[in-house]
């Protein structure tokens, strides 16, 4: 477990003692948002987040609103799905205790200007939480450089086992405090009691070590594959549109809308390929993706959006 803490912390330039193990990023996000709000309630109760966040963040914020524990500002994004740091600055009030903006979007792959947001948070003395599930292990993430105070990660997004995650909690400059959601024997610096999932943690640590080692080569390969897939689709088909930022995006993500085609029937028509029409966490609903809608895409087109995820084990033949 100690070795794994080091491997995970090293990936994001943190200290091993700052890693708090959880059951996954959903729990990490819940602990970060609810834990900060409860601990710092005397300072204020205002949270700033954005409309394209993962449900783990959005639903945590909505629960706090419903229980009258917080007021939340949901920032809009531009047509590429990016938050404007100036909007973050403008939204800050004297009651703001937390800014929560994801590193990179899980559906459209857009990478937010995290360093600028971190700088604003530091200037104003506000805690900055970042759901970095899609970024950590895929692109260089440096919690110190980026001015992040709380960072959520999940093992299975980087080929580790499912059911284990971590919350990195800054220990100084400033030291971040959280009220725990699970009470018990005071494990994990008192922030998350319960017996550790040792086998999961060992796998998580190893996955981080491999990711750190392979990341730069992997990114070059993934970018080539994605560009090939994108070019192939756009050269052969009319009325298709890219969702997300053309360049500031995760190398393995391609999200495309196919006009006049129903997304679900398209999914069923592509037999040998695993693709999705939204995020895995909202696959139970037939609503069009809320992320795609937030980019200003009309409902019809949003219904025909497909996300292609390329990864470590994909090759050119599969792209073809």
């Amino acid at each position: 477990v100690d070795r794994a803490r080091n491997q995970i912390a090293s990936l994001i330039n943190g200290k091993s003692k700052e890693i708090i193990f959880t059951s996954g990023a959903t729990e990490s996000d819940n602990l970060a948002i609810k834990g900060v709000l409860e601990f710092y309630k005397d300072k204020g109760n205002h949270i700033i987040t954005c409309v394209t966040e993962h449900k783990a963040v959005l639903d945590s914020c909505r629960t706090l609103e419903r229980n009258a524990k917080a007021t939340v500002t949901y920032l809009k994004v531009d047509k590429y799905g990016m938050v404007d740091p100036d909007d973050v600055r403008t939204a800050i009030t004297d009651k703001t205790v937390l800014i929560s903006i994801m590193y990179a979007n899980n559906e459209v792959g857009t990478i937010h200007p995290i360093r600028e947001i971190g700088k604003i948070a530091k200037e104003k003395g506000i805690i900055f939480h970042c759901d970095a599930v899609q970024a950590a292990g895929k692109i260089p993430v440096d919690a110190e450089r980026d001015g992040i105070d709380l960072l959520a990660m999940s093992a299975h997004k980087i080929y580790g086992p499912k059911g284990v995650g971590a919350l990195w909690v800054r220990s100084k400059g400033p030291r971040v405090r959280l009220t725990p959601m699970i009470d018990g024997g005071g494990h994990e610096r008192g922030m998350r009691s319960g017996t550790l999932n040792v086998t999961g943690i060992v796998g998580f640590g190893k996955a981080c070590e491999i990711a750190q080692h392979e990341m730069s080569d992997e990114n070059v390969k993934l970018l080539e594959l994605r560009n090939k897939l994108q070019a192939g689709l756009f050269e052969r088909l009319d009325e298709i549109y890219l969702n997300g930022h053309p360049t500031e995006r995760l190398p393995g993500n391609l999200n495309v809308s196919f006009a006049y085609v129903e997304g679900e029937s398209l999914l069923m028509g592509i037999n040998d390929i695993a693709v999705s029409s939204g995020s895995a966490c909202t696959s139970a609903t037939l609503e069009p993706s809320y992320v795609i809608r937030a980019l200003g895409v009309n409902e019809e087109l949003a219904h025909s959006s497909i996300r292609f995820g390329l990864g470590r084990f994909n090759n050119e033949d599969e792209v073809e």
Side-chain angles (χ1 to χ4, degrees):
V1 168
D2 284 345
R3 186 189 300 136
R5 264 190 229 281
N6 278 318
Q7 290 164 322
I8 296 161
S10 173
L11 182 65
I12 57 166
N13 189 25
K15 299 183 187 75
S16 62
K17 67 173 184 181
E18 297 171 321
I19 297 292
I20 304 297
F21 287 114
T22 65
S23 62
T26 294
E27 186 191 337
S28 298
D29 287 335
N30 272 262
L31 174 58
I33 293 164
K34 294 169 182 171
V36 162
L37 210 81
E38 184 61 33
F39 194 90
Y40 295 96
K41 61 187 176 195
D42 294 342
K43 283 181 75 176
N45 68 343
H46 179 234
I47 300 170
I48 297 168
T49 187
C50 116
V51 292
T52 56
E53 289 294 312
H54 191 275
K55 288 284 188 188
V57 169
L58 293 177
D59 287 355
S60 293
C61 289
R62 290 194 182 113
T63 297
L64 290 167
E65 280 184 301
R66 230 184 0 260
N67 299 339
K69 288 185 174 176
T71 58
V72 185
T73 300
Y74 299 93
L75 299 176
K76 287 186 164 58
V77 293
D78 65 15
K79 65 178 180 179
Y80 300 124
M82 201 179 271
V83 163
D84 185 339
D86 287 338
D87 290 349
V88 176
R89 189 185 289 281
T90 306
I92 293 170
T93 72
D94 55 358
K95 291 268 187 263
T96 308
V97 287
L98 184 70
I99 295 167
S100 179
I101 303 288
M102 63 183 3
Y103 213 107
N105 186 270
N106 49 310
E107 288 192 38
V108 295
T110 297
I111 300 165
H112 288 298
I114 291 299
R115 211 180 304 182
E116 288 105 289
I117 295 167
K119 207 175 277 179
I120 292 164
K122 283 279 163 293
E123 254 172 55
K124 303 285 186 183
I126 295 164
I127 293 169
F128 180 28
H129 163 249
C130 186
D131 177 332
V133 169
Q134 295 292 331
K138 295 179 183 175
I139 56 174
V141 170
D142 185 327
E144 280 299 330
R145 176 202 68 195
D146 297 329
I148 297 166
D149 299 308
L150 292 156
L151 184 145
M153 300 168 71
S154 216
H156 73 279
K157 298 296 183 188
I158 51 169
Y159 308 98
K162 289 187 174 180
V164 62
L167 180 65
W168 174 80
V169 183
R170 181 181 285 282
S171 62
K172 67 171 200 210
R175 177 188 175 197
V176 178
R177 312 286 296 277
L178 298 172
T179 300
M181 292 197 306
I182 298 172
D183 297 313
H187 309 70
E188 298 300 277
R189 286 168 48 210
M191 293 185 214
R192 204 276 190 181
S193 289
T195 305
L196 292 178
N197 170 8
V198 176
T199 45
I201 286 165
V202 170
F204 188 7
K206 189 64 184 173
C208 286
E209 186 185 86
I210 294 167
Q212 193 167 6
H213 194 254
E214 303 287 335
M215 194 191 304
S216 53
D217 291 344
E218 211 162 82
N219 281 354
V220 172
K221 181 192 126 174
L222 284 178
L223 208 49
E224 277 176 15
L225 289 180
R226 189 193 76 203
N227 290 342
K228 188 181 177 72
L229 177 61
Q230 190 171 336
L233 290 173
F234 279 74
E235 280 162 15
R236 289 173 173 85
L237 297 168
D238 296 324
E239 295 281 356
I240 73 170
Y241 306 93
L242 180 70
N243 297 311
H245 200 283
T247 55
E248 293 298 309
R249 70 186 297 137
L250 295 167
N253 174 290
L254 182 66
N255 191 309
V256 182
S257 293
F258 299 81
Y260 315 116
V261 183
E262 179 61 40
E264 292 300 317
S265 50
L266 194 55
L267 281 186
M268 288 166 188
I270 314 177
N271 289 326
D272 305 327
I273 304 172
V275 289
S276 61
S277 60
S279 96
C281 308
T282 54
S283 54
T285 71
L286 282 174
E287 287 295 302
S289 156
Y290 68 92
V291 173
I292 305 288
R293 293 287 283 123
L295 310 187
V297 175
N298 69 50
E299 188 154 343
E300 217 169 286
L301 205 53
H303 261 302
S304 68
S305 301
I306 298 285
R307 174 180 59 167
F308 298 87
L310 292 153
R312 183 175 291 164
F313 305 108
N314 290 126
N315 58 43
E316 276 195 50
D317 290 345
E318 290 169 330
V319 169
E320 285 298 344

